Amino acid sequence: MLAERTPIVLSNWKMNKTVNQSLDYLANLMRETGSQGRRMEIILCVPFSLIKIMADKLDGPSLIAVSGQNVHWEDWGAYTGEISAPMLADLGAQFCMIGHSERRKYFAETDEMVNRKALALLKSGVRPIVCIGETREERQLELTINILEKQLRVCFNRFSASDLEQTVILYEPRWAIGTGNVANSDQIAEAHHYIRQELQRLFSPPSADRTRIIYGGSVTPDNIAAISKIEDVDGVGVGGASLDLPNFLKIVNAIPTP
Ligand code: 13P
């Protein structure tokens, strides 16, 4: 990790937790991390139903930020069941995840949609967390770099360098999510190095060097030490292992901070 990039530990709750469970988790997380004075960001990606009550508890400087897990690209209109970027900003979300592999798999989300969503978020002052990564089949066919090249080109279309720097990139190989099959250190290093290089080419070396690229997919307390040592890895995105707070705290505490 480069000293000037603040590390991120992201917890993706997916479709889990009630109001009471979320408030309990947050109060304990704030108590455990509040006095640490560490330079890191803890981003909790929670269901829409929890954003406002959690963001209200975080009024003031905190290591912790609340994020959505999805957004629509229009600001309002006849899109039943959807929520927009201005609505997320109004609820107090500082970030929003887009293009997660479960959105791509179950809701047919494409790179073009991710790009429209990212631009809508930036317009409303909500920072995008853009998820990219290859399927198992694409890796077996040695197409990983081609897939990443296309995802970066399309998802970041019409981005300025400053838009890029506001954005977090979450590299999550789809075959590693929720499977227990974490990518190995060489696979992670190669993908992160490629992503940074490609951003340098698409934008500029200083902007690419200021952008956080984090890894997700079967991260646990057992593999966090090895993952966080890899160059160009600026933190992690954790699903299953973050639902239980003591487990998540083991991961938070294992992240080296500058
Ligand atoms: P798991 O940590 O359960 O593999 O999920 C990763 C993820 O989807 C984070 O966004």
Side-chain angles (χ1 to χ4, degrees), residues 45-170:
C45 301
V46 304
F48 295 136
S49 52
L50 305 175
I51 293 174
K52 179 154 175 63
I53 49 149
M54 293 179 71
D56 284 352
K57 297 278 176 204
L58 292 168
D59 207 14
S62 172
L63 297 182
I64 307 167
V66 176
S67 168
Q69 300 175 356
N70 179 37
V71 69
H72 196 274
W73 54 81
E74 294 293 346
D75 285 352
W76 36 73
Y79 300 100
T80 303
E82 291 291 321
I83 184 166
S84 71
M87 291 171 183
L88 283 176
D90 188 42
L91 294 174
Q94 292 178 42
F95 291 87
C96 182
M97 179 182 254
I98 46 180
H100 190 277
S101 78
E102 288 147 18
R103 301 283 324 162
R104 293 173 186 264
K105 179 174 168 189
Y106 299 120
F107 303 98
E109 204 158 294
T110 63
D111 292 327
E112 287 74 12
M113 290 168 162
V114 172
N115 178 240
R116 295 176 76 182
K117 290 176 181 213
L119 293 169
L121 288 169
L122 288 162
K123 190 164 61 107
S124 289
V126 180
R127 301 173 67 178
I129 301 165
V130 175
C131 304
I132 57 174
E134 78 287 359
T135 63
R136 180 182 303 282
E137 195 189 12
E138 288 161 348
R139 177 161 284 275
Q140 281 164 351
L141 293 170
E142 301 188 357
L143 290 174
T144 300
I145 296 299
N146 307 50
I147 296 298
L148 294 178
E149 185 278 325
K150 190 219 167 208
Q151 290 175 334
L152 292 172
R153 181 167 34 83
V154 179
C155 294
F156 296 112
N157 187 23
R158 291 179 290 146
F159 261 50
S160 67
S162 111
D163 292 339
L164 177 73
E165 292 174 35
Q166 298 294 313
T167 300
V168 175
I169 299 178
L170 175 50

Side-chain angles (χ1 to χ4, degrees), residues 157-250:
N157 187 23
R158 291 179 290 146
F159 261 50
S160 67
S162 111
D163 292 339
L164 177 73
E165 292 174 35
Q166 298 294 313
T167 300
V168 175
I169 299 178
L170 175 50
Y171 169 61
E172 294 197 306
R174 286 165 70 166
W175 49 272
I177 295 177
T179 57
N181 297 324
V182 65
N184 69 37
S185 295
D186 288 345
Q187 292 167 327
I188 298 174
E190 187 197 21
H192 281 238
H193 179 68
Y194 172 75
I195 293 167
R196 179 112 36 222
Q197 239 185 358
E198 190 58 12
L199 294 177
Q200 289 174 347
R201 199 182 66 74
L202 289 170
F203 295 91
S204 70
S207 291
D209 289 347
R210 282 194 285 267
T211 303
R212 269 93 51 91
I213 307 171
I214 65 175
Y215 168 80
S218 296
V219 175
T220 67
D222 294 333
N223 55 33
I224 184 64
I227 294 171
S228 58
K229 283 201 196 88
I230 303 170
E231 213 190 316
D232 281 314
V233 171
D234 303 310
V236 286
V238 194
S242 69
L243 289 175
D244 173 59
L245 182 62
N247 226 20
F248 184 53
L249 282 170
K250 285 187 201 153

